């Protein structure tokens, strides 16, 4: 056999093997070599900035973990700018063969919890692992106790090279986040997203979109959907401040999304919905003629069944959104979709903290409703 023929056979063998090996095994051949060494406990610490943080819509931010670009300062209202400093939706995927995984993170605020939301959701970390069936499964949580935290997320894992997903705080900012593994182990960057599945789902919304009040940072519906649909996610939820403002919609139009999801009704009333919806859609459509846009009604307050004022709020704001949607469709706007609010939570009133903000059960139900709307849209894109 000639050397040339042998080389061809080798290449063919590698290609055949690549069809059967897990993607994380073949994606990265060289482990990350930039890390800090802790000689005391024999741990190598990796700055996640070097691993490819997902959920950042812009790179030109004032600080690394901000959600809006620095040019937005002084353009968006101060509360929006302040909330953009929270790391909601930011996450990092990585691969390691470590049997122990540690984490260190420094928060920007000492207020690690709220009176209706656990510290693990406000300021914690949340670790998932990809299983043999190529599904993400929860593994460990990083519980914060102060501004600077250092914890062992998980130990005594069965030895194997696996891909992991670490979610950052929802209602706090971070100055730094590091992943620690034993010095005898290795860490690789995660494989790149598959072509056709690398554009993010971009959510613009309220405190609910930001994650209030998930018990863990990976339990907000946007994160659940990212795992289920195998897409990166950009979370532009601003607590109490998802107000359909033109200056924000113009910034969002800069993003190259797979779908734009507009979910602001919990923070606005019917007059604002009537005034701003068409402008938002037209702004996005001008920049992205073919990108799907999903308009979302407000979730139903869990106690609205006994409150006329809440029922009227839902009726009027939803009517305004429906009328704007129909007007846009009648004018020829394509790839515009609609999700009704009644399906977002259950009818048993058991899935919110305070009648408004979902618990984990509420977010799970919301994810189910959003998935029914988004999956056909994404399937149509891939055809």
């Amino acid at each position: 056999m000639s050397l040339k023929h042998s080389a061809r056979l080798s290449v063919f063998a590698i290609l055949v093997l690549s069809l059967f090996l897990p993607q994380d095994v073949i994606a990265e051949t060289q482990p990350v070599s930039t890390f800090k060494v802790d000689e005391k406990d024999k741990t190598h610490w990796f700055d996640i900035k070097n691993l490819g943080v997902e959920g950042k819509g812009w790179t030109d931010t004032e600080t690394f973990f901000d959600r809006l670009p620095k040019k937005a300062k002084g353009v968006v209202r101060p509360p929006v700018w302040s909330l953009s400093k929270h790391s909601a939706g930011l996450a990092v995927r990585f691969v390691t063969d470590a049997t122990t995984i540690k984490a260190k993170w420094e928060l920007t605020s000492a207020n690690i919890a709220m009176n209706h939301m656990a510290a693990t959701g406000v300021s914690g970390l949340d670790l998932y692992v990809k299983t043999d069936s190529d599904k993400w499964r929860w593994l460990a949580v990083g519980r914060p106790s102060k501004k600077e935290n250092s914890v062992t997320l998980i130990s005594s894992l069965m030895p194997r090279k696996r891909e992991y997903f670490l979610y950052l705080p929802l209602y706090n900012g971070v100055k730094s986040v590091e992943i620690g593994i034993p010095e005898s182990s290795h860490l690789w960057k995660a494989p790149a997203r598959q072509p056709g599945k690398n554009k993010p789902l971009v959510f613009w919304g309220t405190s609910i979109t930001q994650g209030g009040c998930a018990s863990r940072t990976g339990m907000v519906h946007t994160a659940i959907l990212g795992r289920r649909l195998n897409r990166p996610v950009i979370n532009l939820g601003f607590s109490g401040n998802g107000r359909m403002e033109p200056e924000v919609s113009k910034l969002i139009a800069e993003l190259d999304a797979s779908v734009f999801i507009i979910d602001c009704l919990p923070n606005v009333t019917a007059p604002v919905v009537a005034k701003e919806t068409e402008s938002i859609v037209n702004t996005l459509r001008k920049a992205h003629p073919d990108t799907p846009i999903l308009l979302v009604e407000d979730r139903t307050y869990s106690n609205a069944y006994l409150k006329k004022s809440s029922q009227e709020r839902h009726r009027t704001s939803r009517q305004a959104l429906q009328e704007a949607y129909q007007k846009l469709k009648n004018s020829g706007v394509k790839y515009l979709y609609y999700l009704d609010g009644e399906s977002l939570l259950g009818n048993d009133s058991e899935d919110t903290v305070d009648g408004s903000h979902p618990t984990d059960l509420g977010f799970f139900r919301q994810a189910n409703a959003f998935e029914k709307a988004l999956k056909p849209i994404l399937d149509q894109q891939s055809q």
Side-chain angles (χ1 to χ4, degrees), residues 49-63:
K49 293 177 184 177
N50 301 322
L51 303 181
V53 174
E54 293 189 346
K56 282 172 59 73
W58 296 267
T59 57
D60 55 336
T61 50
E62 188 174 66
T63 61

Side-chain angles (χ1 to χ4, degrees), residues 96-254:
T96 184
D97 56 6
T99 57
T100 295
I101 301 175
K102 301 179 180 181
K104 292 194 296 189
W105 70 107
E106 182 179 357
L107 300 162
T108 59
S109 172
N111 297 321
I112 64 171
M114 293 189 282
N115 61 11
H116 65 334
M117 185 171 175
T120 45
V122 173
S123 304
L125 303 179
D126 209 8
L127 184 67
Y128 283 72
V129 62
K130 184 173 281 189
T131 64
D132 291 339
S133 60
D134 212 33
K135 302 295 184 183
W136 291 105
R137 187 167 180 175
W138 179 84
L139 184 64
V141 67
R143 290 181 286 184
S145 58
K146 51 190 176 181
K147 285 185 71 174
E148 295 186 35
N149 300 275
S150 183
V151 303
T152 296
L153 292 172
I154 192 76
S155 61
S156 301
L157 290 170
M158 291 181 283
R160 186 176 174 182
K161 187 178 180 183
R162 301 181 181 89
E163 184 177 351
Y164 297 88
F165 211 152
L166 186 69
Y167 293 91
L168 305 193
L170 294 170
Y171 272 80
N172 208 331
V174 291
K175 293 182 179 180
S176 63
V177 182
E178 296 175 73
I179 297 167
I181 61 173
E183 64 177 1
S184 58
S185 303
H186 299 89
L187 185 144
W188 295 260
K189 288 185 177 181
R193 295 277 184 175
Q194 299 174 14
K197 295 185 177 182
N198 53 351
K199 290 186 179 182
L201 300 167
V202 176
F203 291 82
W204 178 21
T206 66
S207 56
I208 297 172
T209 303
Q210 189 174 336
C213 292
S215 69
R216 296 184 282 104
T217 61
M219 275 306 296
V220 58
H221 66 292
T222 58
I224 295 172
L225 289 163
R227 295 192 298 273
R228 288 185 186 178
L229 299 173
N230 192 23
R231 294 292 198 287
V233 168
I234 293 177
N235 185 322
L236 295 176
F238 303 109
S239 181
N241 288 275
R243 300 185 183 178
M244 306 184 85
E245 294 160 313
E247 56 267 31
V248 178
S249 65
K250 290 176 183 177
L251 289 167
I252 293 174
E254 297 176 0

Side-chain angles (χ1 to χ4, degrees), residues 288-305:
H288 305 277
D290 300 321
T291 303
I293 301 170
L294 177 64
L295 301 178
V296 185
E297 289 184 350
D298 50 332
R299 51 78 194 96
T300 301
Y301 286 110
S302 294
N303 54 11
Y305 64 95

Side-chain angles (χ1 to χ4, degrees), residues 3-4 7 12 21 64 77 80 85 103 125 146 174 179 204 209 227 238 247 268 280 282 291 296 301 319 335 342 346:
L3 185 62
K4 186 176 182 180
F12 178 75
L21 286 171
F64 183 87
R77 289 182 302 106
V80 176
K85 299 289 185 175
L125 303 179
K146 51 190 176 181
V174 291
I179 297 167
W204 178 21
T209 303
R227 295 192 298 273
F238 303 109
E247 56 267 31
V268 291
I280 290 170
N282 289 330
T291 303
V296 185
Y301 286 110
Q319 181 178 335
Y335 310 113
E342 286 295 334

